[in-house]
Amino acid sequence: GSGVILAFWRGQQMRDLEPRLTATGTYLMADIRFTSTADVDKVNVQQLVRRAIELNQQFGDPLAQKIA
């Protein structure tokens, strides 16, 4: 089906804001899938983006870190 997927590097650390975030890979990545506009809560999405920025500021860019 069609829709939009928002993925966050540290999304697993944001499940308190959005329990629908699903673990998807490295760097604690998680995503949320929207299949209709009724699923999208503008305020919630804004909170997720703000938290993602805060986590990157706190822990750094995961792509810039060397993987041992």
Side-chain angles (χ1 to χ4, degrees):
S2 62
V4 174
I5 300 171
L6 297 180
F8 298 95
W9 285 115
R10 295 183 172 93
Q12 292 177 42
Q13 292 173 283
M14 302 190 308
R15 294 200 68 222
D16 59 321
L17 291 177
E18 179 50 76
R20 294 179 294 173
L21 283 163
T22 304
T24 57
T26 59
Y27 306 113
L28 299 173
M29 185 170 259
D31 68 31
I32 184 169
R33 298 163 190 260
F34 299 108
T35 56
S36 84
T37 55
D39 293 340
V40 180
D41 177 341
K42 178 181 172 182
V43 172
N44 183 260
V45 171
Q46 289 173 336
Q47 290 175 332
L48 290 170
V49 171
R50 284 188 190 107
R51 175 75 65 84
I53 292 168
E54 290 169 3
L55 288 169
N56 281 347
Q57 289 172 339
Q58 182 177 358
F59 296 108
D61 180 351
L63 292 179
Q65 299 172 5
K66 292 183 180 178
I67 300 173

